[in-house]
Amino acid sequence: MSKELLISSTSLETKLAILEDDQVTEIFMERSDNRRILGNIYKGKVTRVLPGMQAAFVDIGLGRDTFLYVTDFFEDYEDYEVLFPDQEGESADLLTQAEGSPPMDAPAGNGFSQEPLLAEAGQILPERLDSAIDWDSYPLSEFPSMEAATERFGARILPDHFPIGVHQDAAVIPIIPSPEPQPDPWEEKTPPSRPPSPRGNQKNRRRHSSNRSGKALIGDLLHEGKEILVQISKEPIGKKGARVTSHCALPGRFLVFMPTVEHVGVSRRIVSDRERHRLKDMIRRLRGDNGWGFIVRTVSEKQDESDFRGDMRYLTQLWEKVRSKGDKLSAPALVYSEPSLIHRVVRDYFTDDYSVIRMDDEQEYEQLVDFVNQFNPELVDRVRLYDKDKPIFDEFGVTTEMEKALKPKVWLKKGGHIVINQTEALVAIDVNTGKFVGNTNSLEDTITQTNLNAAKEVVRQLRLRDLGGIIVIDFIDMEERKNRQKVLNALQTELAKDKAPSKVLQFNDFGLVILTRKRAKQSLGKLLCQPCRNCQGTGMTKSIRTICLSIHQELQQMQVSLGNGRKIQIRCHPDISEALRNGQRQILKKIEAMTGKAIAIKIDPSMHIEQFDLVET
């Protein structure tokens, strides 16, 4: 499969499109007046604590308070010092002497990107390790009881909780007791151990009162006015404010650094067991006994120790810089912001699978060449400047695909079609044969072929439109079980190409397939469109006859209060005026007979079609 990345950049907005086999599969957009805040770190102030919801609202200066759930809050940052003072009080820095480590003031957009992609890092809490365990390798069915599973993993197992915040590219395998400590490769540069903290170490934190499940209560952890460091884990969507977490995560090229957990994970997309164990053992050896948490990213496969060492040093140094800045600022304040959209996407997507990057801005092109040259010089020759007169998105058909993505109906190649309806809570997708009549005499074959085509297009549209949440797909009913399984396999194969985490359920008794897809930002439709001024987003307005009857009903109610005026003036939309004079004239006659007064109609084009005013003159 050939992949290309197209970049269109102006002073007002930046747009990127991913093409797979010449088909547009994903679009990224960022406008100068509405930059993405996902992954930004803020110092916020708690404005409300809600014991009934075990959550709190935090003001971070966005105009709308953010939402912090109790399990997303971590209190003892002091237990996760990155730089430890030595016995004589001097700062012993593990990072500055390391060969290849970037300087402290390394600008955003260097080879060691500062973007904290929580979608890849996840928020893995000590008491929520059910989200971190690879149940495909360690199913609960292997254990005789939940107590046995709890004892095996050293954490409370909560399978009834949905794995929130864990990305497919950052899924991790269970914590397994480490073998005897290995020699630290930084031994010569390692400072003396940190003296015991008066508050206790990482495994002996402050105890709080808890509910029946054993979790700490929000009222014991937070109070109004408290200032805390939080990271955006979910951007505002619609009327919902952003969701934040104090479990910050900072990704680099090969690793994601998680300072508030001790876990070491490996991307699920690295399928070789030998490679997974090699990477995990290497990261554990490199981090030593510092208690840092790391996730090994997909691009780390077959990388050597020096790559991880440089990434690890930079990320731990960056975290110390973030904490230091946070200590100096007063809430609400921005502490850390992620780099530009171009650098984020290129760093996370641009691999050997991509044949070329094309961009139309010469200045951005030069910056991108420097950026790629830092983290993967072998791919620099694949970055090319597009210099034709025709806009790059028009040349490769991206603009046309974006226009189609705003419409509910999508035609399939062989004549069938799907209809996509997005609601507040879920996305409903209906599959129809449309113009497709099949190539055989079997109705089952025709239906199966339509469903197979639809399965592939559905996933493309989910990625293109960036739809998430609960998604219900109504495939055409198939009688044979093997055909249903074939369609389901096709759906899962396409979803495997998607970076967003998803989970698919089997066909249910109604012939529906239900899946979930992580939603971290607004969909393409929400980004490009606004609710219709006429229907207010419902898709419908009252019919003209309904509005005419409403005028009659309101005058009937006003009849008792009418005075001695000679006529009644109806001010309304031009369409309503036309209907009362022609198609609905019988309603106008009934109004005249009922009131005994002359009726004057005044046209007001500025009025909404459902609005009208009645005045006696």
Side-chain angles (χ1 to χ4, degrees), residues 31 40 60 70 73 407 414 475 492:
R31 291 173 174 170
N40 286 359
I60 61 173
V70 62
F73 178 69
K407 299 177 181 179
K414 294 188 177 182
F475 288 106
Q492 292 172 332

Side-chain angles (χ1 to χ4, degrees), residues 69 71 127-128 156 158 161 209-211 213-217:
Y69 189 61
T71 56
E127 68 272 24
R128 288 290 300 281
R156 184 165 60 257
L158 304 172
H161 286 120
S209 60
S210 61
N211 53 21
S213 66
K215 296 180 181 178
L217 299 175

Side-chain angles (χ1 to χ4, degrees), residues 44-51 54-58 67-75 206 208 216-230 244 246:
K45 180 180 291 185
V46 178
T47 57
R48 287 185 64 192
V49 177
L50 307 173
Q54 283 301 297
F57 285 107
V58 183
F67 183 81
L68 174 67
Y69 189 61
V70 62
T71 56
D72 289 330
F73 178 69
F74 175 78
E75 185 178 26
R206 181 186 308 171
H208 300 282
L217 299 175
I218 192 70
D220 295 326
L221 300 174
L222 296 172
H223 59 81
E224 292 185 10
K226 183 171 183 176
E227 296 186 353
I228 57 177
L229 201 66
V230 293
V244 296
S246 64

